[in-house]
Amino acid sequence: MGKYIWETTVKLALAGHPPSPHINQFAGDGVYGGSSHNHYQNPRLITFPRQHQRSSSNGLRRQKRDWVIPPINVPENSRGPFPQVLVRIQSDQDKEIEIRYSITGAGADQPPNDIYIIDPVTGKMSVTKPLDREERASYHLRAHAVDINGNQMEPPIDLYIYVIDMNDNRPEFKNQVYNGSVAEVSKPGTSVMQVTAFDADDSTTANGLVHYRILSQTPHIPIPNMFTINGATGEISTIASGIDREKVSQYAIIVQATDMEGSLNFGLSNTATALISITDINDNPPDVILFCGFTFRDKDQPHTPNWNAVYRITGGDQMGHFAIRTDEITNDGRVVVVKPIDYERNNAFTLMVVVSNQAHLASGIPSSPSSSAAVAITVLDINEAPVFPSNPKIIRFEEGVPADTTLATFAALDPDRFIQQTIRYSKLTDPANWLKINRTNGRITTTAVLDRESPYMKKNVYEATFLAVDNGSPPATGTGTLQIYLIDVNDNVPVLVPQEALVCERSRHGYPVNITASDLDSEPNAGPYVFELPSYPSSARRNWTISRLNGNYAQLKLRIPYLEAGMYRVPILVSDSGNPPLSNTSVLKVKVCPCDENGDCTVIGAVTVAGLGTGAIITILICIIILLSMVLFFVVWVKRREKERQTKPLLIDPEDDVRDNILKYDEEGGGEEDQDYDLSQLQQPESLDHIMSKPAGVRRVDERPVILESQYPVRPTVPHPGDIGEFIIDGLRAADNDPTAPPYDSLLVFDYEGSGSTAGSVSSLGSSSSGEQDYDYLNDWGPRFKKLADLYGGGGED
């Protein structure tokens, strides 16, 4: 094929790209001109710009402007075959030297890699796979020419590749369901809502231009085409009148979006649903049906301002006794009483009631916006409680009112004027029990003196409550409160405050004592107060002086330079400001003590303040020392006696000590009285009549031969007051010196053996000479007597 080459400096305005070098354009084939076969065999040729240089008078060379390379257009979704040759890059120097070609940029050696490749020898650039314009719409590559050594032989040229859009995407709605609303009775042309679809194809071409249409409307009333849609914007609006919510509350519209400008033959389509809710307006006036209340009927949408009822009483209730409450669920009205009704004043009412909606009736509706009705109300009489006209009733008296004084008549009235009833009175509360009330006429009298200073008074007011009960059926009770305001009189003397004080014995060290007074009365029967020292005793004015600070305070201080430490009772006369004033002599206990240089009481002074002189203090200290000495002496004596008892040698082996044996009595088995560890058994019995009846001599209570007693040292006839050890030693000494004592171990001989044992005496076991005595009964005494039974009982002979 022939080539036509133009060498010129032409600028091409390419969308989104600046001017490029000189154009080297080949006519005939174009990018995809002619058949694809011819294109693959003869791709478009792109050469590097020539270097046209010329010398100037000053020796400089000027280069001509570069050619602008036209863009390479490649359609998306090509079916191949791949790789598919796009253009061929050629350098003018390939006839002289061996040239190698390469391309760089996104799509070649940069991500996404290897979409475009070039034959390094022939310079043919190819695309390796189908392109997607919605993924990437353009590529910018650079072509390079180098020799076999890698030396740059041509300046790089820019290659712009544009992906040509194909209609391969359907319109997509943002939502599958759109919700809109329009008021009923809307005029044609009222905007309802807008639907929007997006096409991923090129919006500058027909591939991406979307057109909208309505496919269907449900329901078809009053006509099948109540709405229309703007084909370009997707705005839905009304096209006919007659929208009535009470007939159709919602419409469902199927909307179709088609690209290729809405061509049904070539375009791609998609659908969505538009739900149009009909909003209510107040186009139906309310109807009222009167039963026990007001039953409301309205065709508008329930629980909306167009349906909600508003009831108003327009007549028959001048005093505002009634109101109408609306049931939020049923919208019915109920007449309620909001202000007490007095049967004696009005026993019947006729109310005029008007009902309307919260929302105003829509304009153009040929109906009245409200309905009205009349209701008759009859008032029934009931027994009302008695009423105290003045409640609370306030009366004023001076305090000190004596008992049996009539204060007031606290009577109640019966509101039931058409019924003759009797009222009786009683007391409900009377904190101080000062009052009583006449049962029939309500006269109140006192039962005690009224005292303003009583703790039952609150801010000079005493409060009591009374009951008034009628004899109706059932009886009704009213409550009244009586408040007695007591006026203060000067009936309480002032009392000195404080009642104790502390001063230094030398007037130059201490500080004066501030004193005031307390008075149960109130102004003007309390302060200001007058403080004086009485003339008796004379020591008060001789030792002390009072100076006035203000109406309520004064200062007491020493008149003399020094006063001996001790407790002093200083009488002070206090007078209040009553008319006439009341006076009281109070005693101030002043503790005078030695003080340091700071005016504080010293330790010795604090003791002196207790009211004791120096001699008394010394006496107390001596008594304390004596008491401590006696305690110490007693402790030493107790310790010494304990030591003597421990050092006395026992007459028996320590292992056989009687005190230890006492703790081992339980080894004889149960049932014996010797398990009761009563230590009093070891002493002589309190009753010694059986001993005192014997002849004089050593008194013993154990069994012994009946012989004449010799005169031996007589033992005491009363229980020994010492401990058991000494008692046993004395018994041992008496037994050793008594020739009539039985031949028993003296340690087992006691003055008292108790009341006896259920086992009887065992002393006959060793003294009997009879060999035929039966000892088998020892087996019944327990395991501790089994050995004796074996020794003495009947058995085989040894």
Side-chain angles (χ1 to χ4, degrees):
M1 296 181 61
K3 296 182 182 178
Y4 300 91
I5 303 175
W6 289 271
E7 273 190 344
T8 180
T9 56
V10 179
K11 291 184 179 179
L12 297 181
L14 302 178
H17 300 280
S20 296
H22 293 324
I23 297 176
N24 187 359
Q25 185 174 7
F26 303 92
D29 293 338
V31 178
Y32 280 122
S35 65
S36 60
H37 174 75
N38 292 335
H39 174 70
Y40 297 146
Q41 299 297 325
N42 302 290
R44 171 182 164 188
L45 181 62
I46 298 177
T47 62
F48 289 89
R50 297 176 181 177
Q51 301 294 328
H52 297 281
Q53 299 175 348
R54 61 182 178 180
S55 300
S56 60
S57 59
N58 56 4
L60 298 177
R61 294 181 179 181
R62 182 169 61 88
Q63 182 175 331
K64 294 178 64 177
R65 297 179 64 183
D66 294 337
W67 293 5
V68 177
I69 307 300
I72 303 170
N73 296 322
V74 180
E76 66 173 336
N77 303 322
S78 174
R79 296 183 178 179
F82 297 99
Q84 187 174 16
V85 179
L86 301 179
V87 295
R88 186 167 69 88
I89 310 298
Q90 185 179 16
S91 173
D92 293 341
Q93 302 183 48
D94 62 350
K95 298 177 181 179
E96 301 174 359
I97 61 175
E98 190 175 353
I99 299 298
R100 295 292 184 265
Y101 301 97
S102 64
I103 55 176
T104 60
D109 62 342
Q110 299 177 16
N113 299 78
D114 300 330
I115 295 179
Y116 302 98
I117 60 175
I118 190 171
D119 188 322
V121 176
T122 64
K124 291 182 179 181
M125 187 180 75
S126 305
V127 61
T128 62
K129 63 180 182 179
L131 301 180
D132 186 359
R133 191 202 68 85
E134 287 71 42
E135 181 178 348
R136 184 160 185 156
S138 64
Y139 297 87
H140 177 201
L141 303 178
R142 303 194 79 183
H144 306 270
V146 298
D147 59 13
I148 59 175
N149 295 321
N151 298 317
Q152 179 177 319
M153 302 306 297
E154 299 283 358
I157 59 174
D158 294 315
L159 302 176
Y160 293 96
I161 303 174
Y162 291 98
V163 182
I164 305 304
D165 183 48
M166 305 294 288
N167 189 20
D168 59 344
N169 290 279
R170 292 179 179 274
E172 296 290 342
F173 284 96
K174 292 184 178 179
N175 302 308
Q176 283 301 309
V177 178
Y178 290 83
N179 292 286
S181 63
V182 65
E184 62 177 333
V185 198
S186 294
K187 295 180 180 180
T190 303
S191 178
V192 179
M193 60 192 301
Q194 185 176 15
V195 296
T196 304
F198 172 77
D199 196 316
D201 293 325
D202 190 355
S203 60
T204 62
T205 67
N207 297 335
L209 293 179
V210 179
H211 183 80
Y212 302 92
R213 64 172 52 88
I214 294 177
L215 296 182
S216 65
Q217 167 193 308
T218 304
H220 293 172
I221 56 175
I223 60 175
N225 299 317
M226 295 293 296
F227 303 93
T228 185
I229 189 170
N230 187 306
T233 63
E235 182 180 7
I236 300 175
S237 58
T238 60
I239 195 175
S241 59
I243 299 176
D244 190 355
R245 189 206 64 83
E246 285 72 42
K247 294 180 180 179
V248 178
S249 61
Q250 187 181 68
Y251 288 93
I253 295 176
I254 304 301
V255 180
Q256 183 185 56
T258 307
D259 58 14
M260 298 300 289
E261 298 180 300
S263 173
L264 299 179
N265 295 326
F266 306 103
L268 302 177
S269 302
N270 219 332
T271 60
T273 301
L275 298 179
I276 302 176
S277 298
I278 309 303
T279 59
D280 185 50
I281 66 171
N282 193 12
D283 58 342
N284 294 279
D287 293 332
V288 177
I289 301 176
L290 181 64
F291 294 101
C292 56
F294 298 95
T295 300
F296 181 84
R297 293 180 180 177
D298 196 316
K299 295 180 182 179
D300 292 321
Q301 183 177 358
H303 307 293
T304 65
N306 300 327
W307 179 81
N308 294 337
V310 177
Y311 296 92
R312 292 180 294 114
I313 298 176
T314 59
D317 187 22
Q318 293 79 7
M319 301 301 294
H321 292 287
F322 302 96
I324 300 180
R325 300 284 188 260
T326 304
D327 191 308
E328 295 180 355
I329 299 177
T330 64
N331 218 19
D332 295 339
R334 294 288 182 268
V335 179
V336 296
V337 178
V338 295
K339 185 178 180 180
I341 302 174
D342 191 353
Y343 173 85
E344 286 71 27
R345 293 185 179 181
N346 199 340
N347 56 14
F349 295 87
T350 300
L351 305 180
M352 297 301 299
V353 179
V354 175
V355 61
S356 59
N357 294 121
Q358 285 183 348
H360 296 290
L361 191 67
S363 60
I365 304 300
S367 300
S368 174
S370 61
S371 299
S372 61
V375 57
I377 299 176
T378 301
V379 181
L380 301 178
D381 188 24
I382 62 172
N383 183 26
E384 300 176 74
V387 178
F388 289 89
S390 299
N391 194 9
K393 182 181 181 65
I394 303 177
I395 58 177
R396 299 171 63 92
F397 282 92
E398 285 190 351
E399 67 171 326
V401 175
D404 297 326
T405 300
T406 300
L407 300 181
T409 298
F410 199 24
L413 302 178
D414 193 344
D416 299 310
R417 291 180 292 131
F418 302 108
I419 304 175
Q420 297 297 326
Q421 297 183 137
T422 303
I423 298 178
R424 292 291 181 264
Y425 301 93
S426 62
K427 186 169 61 174
L428 179 61
T429 62
D430 183 12
N433 199 24
W434 283 349
L435 309 174
K436 64 181 179 179
I437 187 170
N438 188 286
R439 179 174 176 78
T440 58
N441 57 22
R443 183 181 297 111
I444 297 176
T445 56
T446 61
T447 59
V449 177
L450 306 186
D451 185 9
R452 191 196 68 87
E453 289 74 36
S454 170
Y456 299 103
M457 298 292 296
K458 306 297 181 183
K459 296 182 179 180
N460 300 335
V461 175
Y462 181 76
E463 189 171 277
T465 56
F466 300 89
L467 298 178
V469 184
D470 63 20
N471 60 345
S473 179
T477 303
T479 304
T481 301
L482 179 66
Q483 293 181 342
I484 305 174
Y485 185 91
L486 295 181
I487 302 172
D488 184 43
V489 298
N490 193 17
D491 58 346
N492 291 278
V493 298
V495 178
L496 188 67
V497 178
Q499 296 182 354
E500 294 185 358
L502 185 67
V503 299
C504 296
E505 62 183 3
R506 300 188 183 276
S507 59
R508 68 177 183 273
H509 288 164
Y511 300 94
V513 178
N514 292 334
I515 57 176
T516 184
S518 173
D519 198 325
L520 296 178
D521 296 322
S522 61
E523 301 294 341
N525 296 321
Y529 303 103
V530 177
F531 301 92
E532 299 177 294
L533 291 172
S535 57
Y536 180 82
S538 59
S539 59
R541 294 189 175 182
R542 182 175 65 252
N543 296 336
W544 307 94
T545 180
I546 291 180
S547 59
R548 179 187 177 92
L549 293 179
N550 52 43
N552 292 324
Y553 288 89
Q555 282 188 345
L556 175 70
K557 55 185 178 180
L558 282 173
R559 176 187 295 273
I560 58 179
Y562 171 78
L563 184 63
E564 184 179 358
M567 178 69 72
Y568 294 86
R569 301 171 62 87
V570 181
I572 298 177
L573 181 64
V574 185
S575 302
D576 59 22
S577 296
N579 186 17
L582 295 180
S583 301
N584 178 40
T585 300
S586 298
V587 176
L588 177 64
K589 295 181 180 180
V590 181
K591 301 175 182 179
V592 180
C593 65
C595 296
D596 55 19
E597 61 276 4
N598 297 323
D600 298 327
C601 231
T602 61
V603 177
I604 299 178
V607 177
T608 306
V609 165
L612 301 176
T614 305
I617 295 174
I618 295 175
T619 302
I620 292 174
L621 292 177
I622 293 175
C623 292
I624 293 174
I625 293 173
I626 294 174
L627 180 61
L628 292 176
S629 300
M630 293 176 63
V631 172
L632 180 61
F633 176 78
F634 178 76
V635 171
V636 173
W637 179 80
V638 170
K639 292 293 184 179
R640 181 177 179 183
R641 184 168 181 82
E642 182 68 21
K643 185 177 181 180
E644 291 178 353
R645 292 175 180 175
Q646 294 177 359
T647 55
K648 283 185 177 181
L650 294 176
L651 299 179
I652 60 178
D653 187 78
E655 294 182 358
D656 296 330
D657 192 352
V658 174
R659 287 168 291 188
D660 290 339
N661 291 339
I662 294 175
L663 299 178
K664 296 180 181 179
Y665 281 174
D666 59 348
E667 294 180 357
E668 296 180 2
E672 298 291 329
E673 288 186 356
D674 52 11
Q675 294 190 24
D676 295 332
Y677 304 134
D678 186 2
L679 299 182
S680 62
Q681 301 291 337
L682 301 180
Q683 298 182 356
Q684 295 183 8
E686 296 180 359
S687 178
L688 302 178
D689 295 339
H690 64 291
I691 298 176
M692 299 303 296
S693 60
K694 293 183 179 182
V698 177
R699 302 299 181 184
R700 296 178 57 85
V701 294
D702 53 346
E703 296 294 335
R704 58 181 178 269
V706 180
I707 59 177
L708 294 177
E709 296 183 359
S710 304
Q711 297 297 326
Y712 292 99
V714 179
R715 296 176 56 196
T717 59
V718 296
H720 196 282
D723 62 5
I724 299 175
E726 294 179 353
F727 176 75
I728 294 175
I729 293 174
D730 293 339
L732 177 62
R733 185 180 301 109
D736 292 340
N737 297 323
D738 186 1
T740 63
Y744 306 136
D745 189 348
S746 297
L747 292 179
L748 300 179
V749 177
F750 303 100
D751 280 354
Y752 185 71
E753 293 183 354
S755 59
S757 173
T758 57
S761 176
V762 297
S763 59
S764 61
L765 293 177
S767 59
S768 175
S769 59
S770 175
E772 296 179 358
Q773 186 174 352
D774 187 7
Y775 297 99
D776 291 339
Y777 61 86
L778 295 177
N779 291 318
D780 298 331
W781 290 4
R784 299 182 183 275
F785 291 90
K786 190 176 185 308
K787 186 64 175 177
L788 292 176
D790 294 340
L791 293 176
Y792 296 96
E797 296 181 356
D798 294 337

